[in-house]
Amino acid sequence: MSSDIIKISRNTENAPLNNVSTQTVAFSHYNNFSAQLPIDPKIGQIVIGDIKDQATQCLNNIKAIVESIDHVMDDVVKINIFVKNISDMEAIDEVYKGFFSNSLPTRTVVGVAALPMSDALVQMDALISNGEGTTPQAPCALVKVSRNTDKAPQSALFTQTAAFSHYNNLSAQLPIDVNTGELVSGGITEQTTQCLANIKTILESIGHVMNDVVKTTIYLKDIEDSEKVNQACAKFFPSYAPARTIVQASELPMGALVQIDTSVSHGDGTPPQLPEDTCLLVVEANNTAKAPFMPYSHTVAFSHYNHISGQLPVDPKTNEVVAGGIKEQAEQCLQNIKAIIENIDHSMDDTVKVNIQLKDISDLDAVNEVYTTFFNADLPARTVVGVLKIPMNALIQMDAVVSNCEGTPPQDVVA
């Protein structure tokens, strides 16, 4: 790939250090943060106290990283909160809003089975705007644009969509009927359809369409509902399937069966970018026979990022989970990601963020032994959660975000 734009990996001693991930990896106009546990960096241990203390520590760690790269918390575009007990969110929200002065970021909240440290009750990661870009891009006073529509569910705790440069990042959508403020009646098909309808409504309110979606992360209360979810998604994406990861949640807000998180292309950019200069960027979806077949795209590129679908430890030659234990499965996931990345003329060291779901969080040390061998330069940012079940009864699943310095081409203008 071209080396015109440089990935910048950074750490600060004011937040917990980790030898298997980088605190923040910047590329082009975004900083990608590793998940922050409620660890006091001075002692390297979980902070003493209750859920409010732990949530405050997670946010203080994010704030320390943000400030170490000369940013402020209002530059946060998106926060993901992974919590052991969804009922703790009310207490978390009491401290959450105090970290932001202006528009709140978009947000996703998921109840998970386990976190990397057993005493942790909560973990948060973040996506941060990066108006200065990365070398050799010149700093640009890009504006973060936060928007809501009353035609989709609103909250005082987050913004429906926050755009920065060439991406929109939506808050995860629950199956809420905007007219009643309650979950839509019905089962998984009806709930998935409502989530997608809410996403569609938000996109249309900002002049976008469903085919502008580049990646969905679908959180399910029951992973066995995956096929019905895929069928519902096909109706909203009849000609193009964005990259996708399906994750089992232990709990979801409001007791929902499904929640959908979305990243969206934003060719018109944010001020002072001019729409007429950038609106012809193309969403590029790619697949390779060297990675397992799936009913959605292996990778979708837009502008300066590639989004990789969740990879199971499936051998693409047999379409079965690879034989062996956690090390063999972790290696197969990474091999599949590597095959997808190399198919688009990139390398593993172009990876800026990796997300890992584990059936048994105690397998993490074994995973790390394999994981670090796939990278030769600075390690990506990373988020790890424990889940009760993974598709195909696998022990592990991974997805990734990869830098794309060559960008995506402008579409040919037809006279």
Side-chain angles (χ1 to χ4, degrees):
M1 65 170 279
S2 166
S3 59
D4 290 341
I5 302 175
I6 298 172
K7 183 177 81 172
I8 299 178
S9 303
R10 289 173 285 190
N11 290 295
T12 174
E13 293 182 354
N14 294 327
L17 296 166
N18 193 318
N19 62 3
V20 291
S21 63
T22 303
Q23 288 170 352
T24 175
V25 179
F27 187 80
S28 189
H29 289 145
Y30 280 96
N31 288 290
N32 301 265
F33 276 28
S34 287
Q36 294 302 302
L37 289 161
I39 297 173
D40 181 340
K42 296 177 181 177
I43 61 175
Q45 297 178 4
I46 298 290
V47 67
I48 296 172
D50 60 12
I51 186 61
K52 286 187 180 180
D53 298 300
Q54 290 204 13
T56 299
Q57 187 65 55
C58 290
L59 288 159
N60 276 332
N61 291 341
I62 289 172
K63 185 171 185 250
I65 299 168
V66 166
E67 292 178 347
S68 76
I69 57 174
D70 297 324
H71 281 256
V72 296
M73 288 294 281
D74 284 332
D75 293 332
V76 176
V77 173
K78 176 74 182 286
I79 284 190
N80 298 306
I81 302 177
F82 302 97
V83 63
K84 291 282 288 295
N85 188 340
I86 208 80
S87 65
D88 282 339
M89 281 308 303
E90 185 175 349
I92 291 170
D93 288 336
E94 289 182 29
V95 299
Y96 179 83
K97 289 184 70 172
F99 280 80
F100 304 97
S101 300
N102 295 310
S103 62
L104 289 162
T106 60
R107 194 172 81 165
T108 295
V109 174
V110 183
V112 294
L115 293 169
M117 296 182 73
S118 60
D119 292 336
L121 302 174
V122 61
Q123 174 180 255
M124 303 183 193
D125 69 13
L127 184 66
I128 315 294
S129 62
N130 190 44
E132 64 270 28
T134 52
T135 307
Q137 293 171 314
C140 183
L142 295 173
V143 176
K144 183 177 82 171
V145 179
S146 301
R147 289 173 284 190
N148 291 294
T149 172
D150 58 11
K151 295 180 180 179
Q154 296 190 55
S155 172
L157 296 165
F158 50 81
T159 306
Q160 287 172 351
T161 174
F164 188 79
S165 189
H166 291 148
Y167 274 90
N168 281 297
N169 298 272
L170 271 61
S171 286
Q173 291 302 301
L174 290 161
I176 298 172
D177 181 337
V178 69
N179 295 315
T180 65
E182 302 292 335
L183 294 183
V184 68
S185 60
I188 188 63
T189 299
E190 291 79 10
Q191 289 204 14
T192 304
T193 300
Q194 186 65 54
C195 291
L196 291 162
N198 291 342
I199 290 167
K200 185 172 184 282
T201 297
I202 294 168
L203 292 183
E204 290 176 348
S205 76
I206 58 174
H208 283 262
V209 297
M210 291 296 278
N211 276 0
D212 292 331
V213 174
V214 296
K215 172 73 189 292
T216 57
T217 301
I218 301 176
Y219 296 98
L220 290 177
K221 191 69 166 37
D222 185 351
I223 209 74
E224 301 302 326
D225 285 336
S226 296
E227 184 53 38
K228 290 181 180 178
V229 168
N230 286 337
Q231 291 171 6
C233 287
K235 295 179 180 179
F236 283 81
F237 302 102
S239 59
Y240 151 76
R244 185 180 304 165
T245 300
I246 297 176
V247 179
Q248 176 143 343
S250 296
E251 298 175 281
L252 290 170
M254 299 180 67
L257 302 177
V258 60
Q259 176 179 249
I260 302 180
D261 194 2
T262 317
S263 295
V264 182
S265 63
H266 185 51
D268 36 321
T270 53
Q273 292 168 320
L274 299 176
E276 58 267 31
D277 290 341
T278 58
C279 65
L280 299 179
L281 291 174
V282 175
V283 173
E284 291 188 328
N286 281 282
N287 293 289
T288 175
K290 294 181 179 179
F293 169 80
M294 50 187 59
Y296 34 86
S297 301
H298 280 147
T299 178
V300 177
F302 184 78
S303 188
H304 289 146
Y305 279 93
N306 286 291
H307 298 260
I308 311 293
S309 288
Q311 293 301 304
L312 293 164
V314 172
D315 182 337
K317 296 177 182 177
T318 65
N319 211 34
E320 300 288 340
V321 172
V322 68
I326 187 61
K327 285 188 177 181
E328 290 79 10
Q329 291 201 17
E331 182 171 7
Q332 187 65 53
C333 290
L334 289 158
Q335 289 287 6
N336 292 341
I337 290 172
K338 186 171 184 279
I340 294 167
I341 289 174
E342 290 180 347
N343 181 62
I344 53 174
D345 297 323
H346 283 257
S347 70
M348 289 294 282
D349 285 325
D350 293 328
T351 304
V352 296
K353 176 74 187 292
V354 173
N355 299 299
I356 302 175
Q357 298 92 49
L358 283 173
K359 181 81 180 300
D360 185 347
I361 203 74
S362 67
D363 282 338
L364 186 53
D365 286 343
V367 171
N368 287 338
E369 290 180 32
V370 176
Y371 180 84
T372 54
T373 67
F374 278 78
F375 304 96
N376 296 313
D378 292 326
L379 290 163
R382 196 174 80 166
T383 296
V384 178
V385 297
V387 296
L388 293 174
K389 195 171 183 180
I390 293 172
M392 298 183 71
N393 290 316
L395 302 176
I396 185 169
Q397 178 178 239
M398 301 185 193
D399 67 16
V401 182
V402 181
S403 61
N404 187 46
C405 73
E406 65 271 27
T408 51
Q411 192 172 13
D412 291 334
V413 177
V414 178

